[in-house]
Amino acid sequence: MPSSLCEALTNSSISFDYQKEDDWITSGKLGSREAVLVFRTNILNPKIRKTLSEKSSAQVLTDTKDNEEKPVQSPQKLAEEEPTSSEPSSKEALSGSTQQKIFLLKKPQQCDKSDKLTFSSPFKKILNRYSSSDTSISSEGEEPANSSENKSRVLKTSQNAINIKLATDLSNESGYESIAPAKTISNTEVIEEDQEETSEDDAECGINMPASKLKITYKFHQTETKLLRKLFNVHGLTEVQGENNNFNLLWTGVHMKLDIVRNLAPYQRVNHFPRSYEMTRKDRLYKNIERMQHLRGMKHFDIVPQTFVLPIESRDLVVAHNKHRGPWIVKPAASSRGRGIFIVNSPDQIPQDEQAVVSKYIVDPLCIDGHKCDLRVYVLVTSFDPLIIYLYEEGIVRLATVKYDRHADNLWNPCMHLCNYSINKYHSDYIRSSDAQDEDVGHKWTLSALLRHLKLQSCDTRQLMLNIEDLIIKAVLACAQSIISACRMFVPNGNNCFELYGFDILIDNALKPWLLEINLSPSMGVDSPLDTKVKSCLMADLLTCVGIPAYSPEMKSHYDQKWSRFRSSSCQRIATFPSTSQKTKKSKKKGAAINLNLTGEEQRILRNARLQYSRRGGFVRIFPTDDSMQRYGNFLDSANGIPISTPNVQSQTFQTPIIQHNYNQMLHQNLYSKDGRQKQDDNNEADRIWQYERALETDSEIPFVKKPTVEKCEVEGRRLRKIMLKKISNGSELTPFQARQTFSMYLESVLRRLTEDPKDNHEKIILKFLNKFGGSVKPPVMFRNMQTIKVASKARSAMVAKLLGDFLENYKRDTEAYVDSFDHFGMIPSSAYNQFLMHAQESDLEAVLTLHTNVTGIMPFLYNRCGLSVPPTPPIPSGLHGFLRALPSMVSSTGINRELSKYDGYFKNFDKEKVFL
Ligand code: ADP
């Protein structure tokens, strides 16, 4: 079967231009089981695409491979039970194994002496990076053959990059926004800005890609990541929708449904592990780490601020407070982006019924130029057993807009104490860097820029990064046990799942990192060229590293058939483990140059780990490393290598009737033992630290384009308003959908106005409205009583704007559930109304909402007709902002029950049953 499958591929009607495909396929020949797609950021730039497609692939390969002089040893074949076509040579594994990126040490003079001693030239480090990535599979850790050749290659690449940059600069469509405080927010910028929409040009570029010819598909579920969509489209992947589960990659914003996980074929990939909420839910994370503190000792797991889950642990909180006084930071249990967070000096300031996670507030954070900052680093786990963790070399540093002052009087100020972009962006002093090269400008920096900055101040950045690696590994170890057991129960194939976690880390002024939380599906929204650069590289490297199999439809159907046969006999991956006798037999049969004692599954794991490492791009593998067993071996069960976090369960939990294995041990031994094939100094500490400190450069600019804003015509708006008012006076009504659209556009205008020109009394009105409205955007305690914040300030305006922004986001999401697919009798025709909305200004929207409310006596933008607790319509004062003044009285004192809207005839989405893990 293997050979015929291969023939089917090569002779099929799909005609390939192999020379080009080599650039976009790696780890194996097209048609082999290991071949995976390569993703690059440079083709996000339309101008580069052309150059790239014209450049002969032979030339590209020469650029990439010329320096590989080391003869290639063919990687070992895998276990027999699955078809293996031609084995990849190292050259194949190399092609496209890295992003076409160059890495510049931006400020070489900043390297301290010891660095210079270790790495005589920055170019040597670049060379090391290529060599470590390129030779890890086949050349068994040999030094690159010719360093001068490598040097010149790097120089050449840099020069190319400069030329390309110049060319793009000259013809730049000026997609970058200028340095602008948040007050420039326009109609379409209220929500965190994102990459431009996918253009036809993207799709056209994709047509020529192997992924398109191979019909590789992706599916989004409950997420909309434009950056990712764009990457998929330019690389030729096609989207599947609805109930179609014939995807190669499923990207979901939420945890996955059980039945989807259970039925994954070997070539399918999903971006979550089952039960990873053990890491990503604040309360679960703290509990898991706390357990490890008890089991393994506080000194080993002192990585999170002391935390309590309310209301259950209210008494413990009080006891802790009496021992060591506050302040405490209170976070709603299921919330993100700084929503609902407040800081108190003492637990009695927290409302009794609050369901929250309360942590010791770290009062002495690391500050940059007086501003508190925290880190978002990106952690990729490709397997929990064995544990394989990568940390992306670049991260984001978020700065608070207001200078830090630990005095208790300032605890209310979110723009001083919270570093979330989603809060600080509303502050009128917030500065975005407008150039991707400016990594230490404004209120968002890169991690490498922070490290270089700290190094200049003689801080021990090496120790800082080692401590961050340690914190990440320990957090994963603390949560892994339950995820591993879920994987064993539900995930059918070893490579099906991977997950990118967003770790939020606060560094205190003694440079100790503290884990604040781990984000499921970290935001890929981009609001600046810097963001675009980091996140595009991150995503492209992630997709290449995890490896989306480059399978043709024929290969897929072969696996599907094989898979359904397999599933009918067993549904557990564990059942495929061979017995000890099988082990020897197989090893003999294969010649097993890797290790005679490895089972087929172990060989697969080892081989995958090596191939994946060769494709890691900017990811730094932090587990396993050469000393990982020495450092973390004690936290793993001695028999099966599983991180154990529950006392007394030990290895029994994971014993199988078939065979006991210890994948962590096996992998470490084979990668790092003397005769292991990974070179001893590869992925070593010095290399990793160097990688974190260098600046990330792409070889072409990645366009950051704002959505085009539609120019509104004021005169036309006024003309259409007159028509709408006349219709309403004559008895026409707005549909609930139209009313909600009008209301959200109106509030958007208010938000924009308040951000540009704060008005004390308008802020108070908005807060009162939101407070009464309730739900997830209820203002935090400090804001519920306006007396606590007496002085109107930029920070208060920012907080009100943030709350209104959050409200609008939810409101607009709810509005999407309403339909207006046809015109209703007695209602305003939708086409005419849309015209009005296109040009309406705040006053036009207000006039329509006011008249409609006064004439009809209903408030369809907040309540449906048959709502049970609809309050009477309040009288709306005439004149400018009358509607705004009446707003708080439109909400009943019991708030608004969002569930009620489901009874509305226009509501289209009823909750479908969701079965989440
Ligand atoms: P969210 O998920 O809502 O963003 P985080 O836990 O990330 O919540 O916290 C939001 C912000 O609050 C962080 O940016 C950080 O600056 C600050 N913060 C959170 N926990 C602490 C703490 N224990 N000590 C000091 N600051 C904290």
Side-chain angles (χ1 to χ4, degrees):
M1 182 61 205
S3 61
S4 62
L5 182 67
C6 191
E7 273 163 31
L9 267 168
T10 46
N11 301 327
S12 73
S13 53
I14 312 165
S15 69
F16 293 115
D17 176 351
Y18 280 98
Q19 282 200 324
K20 278 200 175 143
E21 267 137 23
D22 275 359
D23 291 346
W24 304 102
I25 302 284
T26 186
S27 291
K29 246 197 185 127
L30 192 67
S32 73
R33 199 176 51 161
E34 287 81 9
V36 298
L37 302 178
V38 169
F39 290 81
R40 294 197 173 89
T41 53
N42 50 5
I43 57 165
L44 288 174
N45 187 333
K47 295 184 185 75
I48 299 301
R49 282 181 211 151
K50 205 162 168 272
T51 327
L52 210 88
S53 66
E54 281 165 8
K55 192 175 176 186
S56 97
S57 82
Q59 184 55 45
V60 174
L61 290 176
T62 318
D63 287 352
T64 324
K65 298 173 186 170
D66 266 359
N67 302 300
E68 298 306 317
E69 297 203 336
K70 188 75 188 143
V72 170
Q73 186 185 329
S74 181
Q76 295 309 306
K77 293 203 172 187
L78 291 174
E80 237 179 2
E81 69 270 19
E82 290 187 51
T84 308
S85 44
S86 51
E87 291 293 329
S89 69
S90 82
K91 279 204 169 192
E92 287 145 7
L94 290 175
S95 69
S97 65
T98 57
Q99 287 288 314
Q100 291 206 339
K101 271 190 244 160
I102 51 164
F103 295 87
L104 304 174
L105 196 66
K106 242 190 162 180
K107 298 167 186 167
Q109 72 279 11
Q110 289 173 12
C111 292
D112 67 26
K113 216 172 169 191
S114 62
D115 273 339
K116 280 186 183 147
L117 282 176
T118 326
F119 318 123
S120 52
S121 145
F123 293 124
K124 170 120 189 297
K125 291 311 297 177
I126 298 169
L127 171 155
N128 276 350
R129 176 183 188 271
Y130 275 85
S131 70
S132 62
S133 128
D134 292 356
T135 58
S136 57
I137 295 182
S138 54
S139 58
E140 307 205 4
E142 298 281 314
E143 276 293 315
N146 184 337
S147 58
S148 65
E149 217 176 348
N150 278 288
K151 269 188 199 179
S152 63
R153 184 186 75 182
V154 170
L155 284 168
K156 200 174 75 188
T157 320
S158 311
Q159 192 52 54
N160 281 346
I162 291 162
N163 291 341
I164 292 167
K165 187 178 179 314
L166 277 176
T168 44
D169 277 352
L170 285 174
S171 53
N172 192 359
E173 300 151 41
S174 157
Y176 295 87
E177 58 180 338
S178 56
I179 294 186
K183 68 179 169 200
T184 55
I185 282 178
S186 73
N187 219 356
T188 49
E189 291 170 311
V190 174
I191 308 297
E192 209 171 299
E193 201 44 35
D194 217 334
Q195 193 82 15
E196 67 177 319
E197 297 286 351
T198 300
S199 66
E200 276 175 25
D201 189 34
D202 295 340
E204 207 171 289
C205 164
I207 288 171
N208 299 319
M209 290 288 182
S212 167
K213 294 168 186 167
L214 290 165
K215 300 192 168 46
I216 308 277
T217 54
Y218 68 93
K219 181 173 177 175
F220 278 142
H221 176 64
Q222 298 216 11
T223 186
E224 176 49 51
T225 307
K226 286 187 187 146
L227 172 64
L228 204 52
R229 183 184 289 282
K230 198 176 176 73
L231 264 173
F232 289 147
N233 290 346
V234 295
H235 285 86
L237 284 84
T238 326
E239 184 174 12
V240 293
Q241 284 172 334
E243 296 304 302
N244 185 349
N245 283 335
N246 187 16
F247 54 79
N248 291 70
L249 172 67
L250 170 66
W251 197 276
T252 90
V254 292
H255 295 287
M256 290 166 309
K257 289 178 183 175
L258 265 179
D259 53 338
I260 291 186
V261 184
R262 274 206 194 101
N263 292 311
L264 291 170
Y267 57 83
Q268 291 184 303
R269 301 282 178 270
V270 291
N271 70 328
H272 294 293
F273 284 94
R275 275 196 211 148
S276 65
Y277 57 76
E278 290 289 343
M279 291 170 70
T280 56
R281 259 183 53 180
K282 284 189 176 90
D283 50 347
R284 295 301 310 146
L285 173 71
Y286 288 120
K287 285 291 131 207
N288 286 327
I289 292 177
E290 197 179 56
R291 236 189 2 232
M292 284 304 243
Q293 292 172 343
H294 291 147
L295 195 68
R296 307 286 180 190
M298 184 69 181
K299 72 170 186 227
H300 294 301
F301 281 84
D302 186 20
I303 55 173
V304 284
Q306 191 181 19
T307 296
F308 301 91
V309 180
L310 299 192
I312 302 169
E313 297 174 333
S314 307
R315 285 171 67 92
D316 300 336
L317 171 64
V318 174
V319 173
H321 178 71
N322 291 338
K323 243 191 199 165
H324 314 281
R325 301 262 128 192
W328 300 91
I329 181 162
V330 188
K331 308 173 191 178
S335 173
S336 61
R337 297 194 284 160
R339 271 180 288 216
I341 295 184
F342 57 94
I343 303 163
V344 292
N345 256 321
S346 143
D348 54 27
Q349 291 169 290
I350 306 170
Q352 291 280 308
D353 57 342
E354 201 82 4
Q355 292 209 340
V357 172
V358 181
S359 300
K360 189 99 183 55
Y361 188 68
I362 303 205
V363 286
D364 48 1
L366 173 74
C367 290
I368 305 177
D369 296 333
H371 295 258
K372 175 176 172 176
C373 67
D374 70 8
L375 300 184
R376 160 63 58 84
V377 294
Y378 298 97
V379 174
L380 169 64
V381 179
T382 56
S383 160
F384 273 89
D385 183 24
L387 193 55
I388 302 183
I389 313 176
Y390 297 88
L391 168 59
Y392 200 60
E393 62 179 328
E394 195 57 288
I396 306 267
V397 182
R398 304 170 300 190
L399 279 76
T401 332
V402 177
K403 282 201 172 187
Y404 189 73
D405 176 354
R406 57 182 286 183
H407 197 278
D409 281 356
N410 299 314
L411 286 182
W412 69 270
N413 191 339
C415 295
M416 175 190 287
H417 291 279
L418 312 186
C419 304
N420 303 72
Y421 166 72
S422 48
I423 293 177
N424 284 281
K425 71 175 176 182
Y426 289 111
H427 197 287
S428 52
D429 292 342
Y430 186 85
I431 296 169
R432 292 184 181 95
S433 89
S434 61
D435 186 334
Q437 309 303 318
D438 292 340
E439 301 189 358
D440 52 1
V441 171
H443 294 99
K444 202 180 259 190
W445 288 25
T446 59
L447 169 63
S448 62
L450 174 72
L451 294 174
R452 293 191 297 269
H453 169 85
L454 292 175
K455 207 164 185 177
L456 271 182
Q457 300 176 355
S458 311
C459 295
D460 188 352
T461 47
R462 177 189 149 277
Q463 195 53 53
L464 171 64
M465 284 314 296
L466 290 180
N467 289 344
I468 289 178
E469 285 185 352
D470 181 65
L471 171 150
I472 293 167
I473 294 166
K474 283 177 174 163
V476 177
L477 288 176
C479 307
Q481 186 180 336
S482 138
I483 300 176
I484 292 171
S485 59
C487 287
R488 290 192 169 185
M489 266 189 280
F490 305 117
V491 184
N493 305 282
N495 284 336
N496 283 145
C497 302
F498 65 91
E499 188 144 1
L500 182 74
Y501 299 100
F503 274 60
D504 286 349
I505 294 173
L506 186 80
I507 303 168
D508 67 22
N509 65 4
L511 286 193
K512 176 178 166 51
W514 294 93
L515 178 60
L516 298 182
E517 69 161 342
I518 303 176
N519 287 277
L520 173 94
S521 305
S523 157
M524 285 300 134
V526 287
D527 70 279
S528 69
L530 184 70
D531 246 358
T532 313
K533 181 175 78 171
V534 174
K535 290 176 182 171
S536 308
C537 291
L538 167 75
M539 274 314 186
D541 283 349
L542 172 105
L543 294 169
T544 310
C545 181
V546 298
I548 298 172
Y551 283 9
S552 67
E554 290 86 347
M555 278 177 92
K556 284 200 270 186
S557 72
H558 164 78
Y559 277 115
D560 285 341
Q561 282 167 16
K562 197 167 164 323
W563 181 226
S564 51
R565 277 203 308 275
F566 170 72
R567 265 182 37 224
S568 55
S569 57
S570 164
C571 67
Q572 289 205 3
R573 182 182 146 212
I574 204 140
T576 62
F577 296 163
S579 68
T580 321
S581 57
Q582 264 180 307
K583 215 173 171 179
T584 337
K585 211 171 95 200
K586 228 166 247 166
S587 304
K588 272 187 194 147
K589 190 155 185 183
K590 282 281 165 198
I594 292 182
N595 184 333
L596 278 172
N597 291 318
L598 296 188
T599 64
E601 179 71 356
E602 286 169 339
Q603 289 186 37
R604 185 194 66 76
I605 289 173
L606 178 57
R607 183 171 166 72
N608 266 334
R610 285 182 171 144
L611 285 171
Q612 197 177 72
Y613 186 76
S614 75
R615 308 187 295 255
R616 70 193 181 283
F619 280 99
V620 178
R621 195 171 69 202
I622 59 171
F623 196 102
T625 55
D626 54 353
D627 64 349
S628 54
M629 288 315 258
Q630 207 180 318
R631 292 165 65 94
Y632 304 101
N634 277 349
F635 308 135
L636 308 178
D637 182 88
S638 55
N640 58 29
I642 302 294
I644 295 296
S645 50
T646 7
N648 308 325
V649 198
Q650 302 296 320
S651 57
Q652 292 97 324
T653 328
F654 292 96
Q655 270 182 5
T656 75
I658 304 170
I659 192 170
Q660 182 79 301
H661 61 249
N662 188 330
Y663 290 151
N664 279 318
Q665 184 110 45
M666 178 281 297
L667 191 59
H668 189 268
Q669 239 164 31
N670 282 279
L671 292 180
Y672 291 103
S673 69
K674 273 209 178 99
D675 52 347
R677 300 192 327 146
Q678 183 126 11
K679 67 178 179 185
Q680 286 294 297
D681 62 345
D682 193 11
N683 197 31
N684 64 25
E685 183 186 300
D687 273 2
R688 301 201 304 274
I689 302 301
W690 185 87
Q691 205 170 333
Y692 299 132
E693 283 177 9
R694 68 190 176 181
L696 180 66
E697 293 285 328
T698 50
D699 62 358
S700 65
E701 273 182 17
I702 304 164
F704 169 71
V705 185
K706 288 270 179 189
K707 274 189 217 159
T709 38
V710 184
E711 279 294 312
K712 285 187 183 240
C713 172
E714 210 176 318
V715 181
E716 183 63 359
R718 238 175 289 142
R719 187 184 73 83
L720 292 169
R721 158 183 161 175
K722 271 189 200 150
I723 298 174
M724 292 308 133
L725 293 178
K726 198 161 173 200
K727 282 185 186 295
I728 293 169
S729 308
N730 290 341
S732 288
E733 281 187 25
L734 297 180
T735 64
F737 182 63
Q738 287 168 340
R740 291 181 71 96
Q741 274 182 308
T742 317
F743 189 61
S744 69
M745 282 181 69
Y746 168 71
L747 287 183
E748 268 178 19
S749 308
V750 173
L751 171 61
R752 208 162 40 249
R753 182 166 54 75
L754 289 186
T755 321
E756 285 165 11
D757 178 20
K759 263 201 172 63
D760 182 39
N761 60 334
H762 285 192
E763 281 169 17
K764 284 182 177 162
I765 292 171
I766 296 291
L767 270 177
K768 205 166 166 193
F769 165 69
L770 294 177
N771 212 355
K772 279 182 87 178
F773 189 87
S776 60
V777 286
K778 199 158 70 170
V781 171
M782 310 297 278
F783 280 86
R784 288 180 211 165
N785 176 7
M786 283 300 281
Q787 304 317 315
T788 50
I789 309 140
K790 294 185 193 82
V791 193
S793 64
K794 287 177 182 176
R796 195 190 75 179
S797 308
M799 189 63 195
V800 177
K802 149 81 177 154
L803 290 169
L804 186 53
D806 286 346
F807 168 82
L808 271 167
E809 203 183 313
N810 286 348
Y811 186 83
K812 283 201 257 183
R813 203 176 307 129
D814 287 353
T815 302
E816 278 168 22
Y818 287 77
V819 265
D820 256 0
S821 49
F822 55 94
D823 287 331
H824 305 261
F825 179 73
M827 303 292 198
I828 297 180
S830 46
S831 59
Y833 201 71
N834 288 343
Q835 274 294 313
F836 163 68
L837 290 180
M838 206 183 285
H839 295 289
Q841 314 271 332
E842 184 186 332
S843 54
D844 304 322
L845 297 162
E846 180 175 24
V848 167
L849 285 168
T850 305
L851 184 70
H852 190 268
T853 313
N854 284 338
V855 170
T856 62
I858 55 168
M859 298 174 285
F861 43 89
L862 287 177
Y863 297 92
N864 57 64
R865 278 174 190 274
C866 55
L868 302 173
S869 54
V870 181
T873 310
I876 300 181
S878 57
L880 194 62
H881 306 314
F883 186 80
L884 190 67
R885 285 201 292 279
L887 199 54
S889 18
M890 292 181 193
V891 185
S892 76
S893 50
T894 51
I896 290 196
N897 185 351
R898 284 168 70 192
E899 292 296 303
L900 285 176
S901 37
K902 286 186 190 161
Y903 299 104
D904 197 296
Y906 292 94
F907 197 83
K908 70 176 175 194
N909 283 351
F910 285 91
D911 262 2
K912 293 186 189 112
E913 205 195 336
K914 288 176 192 148
V915 193
F916 294 130
L917 288 178

